[in-house]
Amino acid sequence: IANILIPAMKMRKIKIAIVDDHQIVIDGIKSLLEGHEGFSIVECSTSAKEILVFLQQEPVDILLTDIMMPEMNGQQLAKKVKELYPHIKILALSMSGQGEVVNEMINDADIAGYVLKNIGKEELTGAITKIANGGIYFSDQVLDELEKFSNVKKENQETHLTQREIQIIGLIEKELSNK
């Protein structure tokens, strides 16, 4: 039997869109991901609204979004993307992994992952790959914050504080005056 060489099938690249209100962050993420043979960065923007317009014309597999952005924050964007394009997996990238925000994004937008901006290339590429393959990825620090949030929520329910009392305690924690 003759040896038959079958050309290797070209692996489909994971299409990624990036939105962050800081261009330098976008440039950094692009430089980390561009050399990866499994990824294709199809769009980058400093505007959440521009990304929504782009997604109408070009499908992507993963939306990598910042959380704290003007005009439309990452939480609002993620919710809108999930409504309009439920097939897109969302990876949130932020400076802060506040448990309450992460929890809301999981519940409201069904995000597939949340990482902090202090991660390295290996963790970011691993998170994207895992999410693209149907998994979820939350960095360890984010998981710790989620656990703290869950414990605080449980304590609040056990102590029977009203919403207003919880709000006042939150303001006291921020060292705001009585006014």
Side-chain angles (χ1 to χ4, degrees):
I1 299 180
N3 287 339
I4 300 174
L5 294 175
I6 301 172
M9 287 181 47
K10 191 172 182 180
M11 187 176 87
R12 188 176 92 72
K13 291 188 174 198
I14 299 165
K15 291 182 176 182
I16 302 169
I18 303 168
V19 61
D20 192 297
D21 60 323
H22 296 98
Q23 186 63 47
I24 195 163
V25 173
I26 291 173
D27 292 344
I29 294 169
K30 279 176 58 177
S31 70
L32 287 175
L33 300 180
E34 280 183 331
H36 194 285
E37 63 186 30
F39 301 154
S40 173
I41 299 170
V42 295
E43 180 68 12
C44 296
S45 179
T46 57
S47 167
K49 290 181 179 179
E50 285 178 16
I51 281 291
L52 284 173
V53 170
F54 173 80
L55 293 176
Q56 290 175 352
Q57 301 148 3
E58 179 80 29
V60 299
D61 300 307
I62 294 186
L63 174 63
L64 185 59
T65 182
D66 185 18
I67 301 304
M68 301 305 290
M69 296 184 290
E71 78 180 13
M72 178 186 288
N73 67 38
Q75 191 172 353
Q76 294 163 329
L77 173 63
K79 188 174 181 177
K80 190 80 169 163
V81 168
K82 269 303 166 188
E83 288 172 10
L84 299 172
Y85 316 103
H87 66 281
I88 295 177
K89 295 178 173 55
I90 299 167
L91 175 59
L93 180 68
S94 182
M95 292 294 291
S96 164
Q98 295 175 334
E100 184 174 1
V101 172
V102 178
N103 190 57
E104 286 177 17
M105 289 188 75
I106 292 169
N107 293 332
D108 292 347
D110 193 27
I111 61 170
Y114 196 111
V115 293
L116 300 181
K117 289 183 178 178
N118 66 358
I119 64 170
K121 177 180 181 175
E122 192 173 310
E123 187 172 356
L124 180 60
T125 58
I128 292 170
T129 303
K130 186 172 184 179
I131 289 168
N133 291 323
I136 59 170
Y137 188 89
F138 293 85
S139 63
D140 290 340
Q141 288 174 292
V142 172
L143 291 173
D144 290 345
E145 287 297 320
L146 273 172
E147 185 177 358
K148 287 178 191 172
F149 172 73
S150 176
N151 290 339
V152 167
K153 193 174 176 182
K154 194 184 315 177
E155 287 174 13
N156 288 345
Q157 289 170 346
E158 290 172 0
T159 56
H160 306 291
L161 294 175
T162 66
Q163 262 319 105
R164 181 66 179 152
E165 290 169 329
I166 294 168
Q167 184 182 27
I168 291 170
I169 291 170
L171 295 172
I172 291 170
E173 285 178 334
K174 293 179 182 177
E175 298 181 9
L176 297 175
S177 68
N178 286 343
K179 284 186 179 180

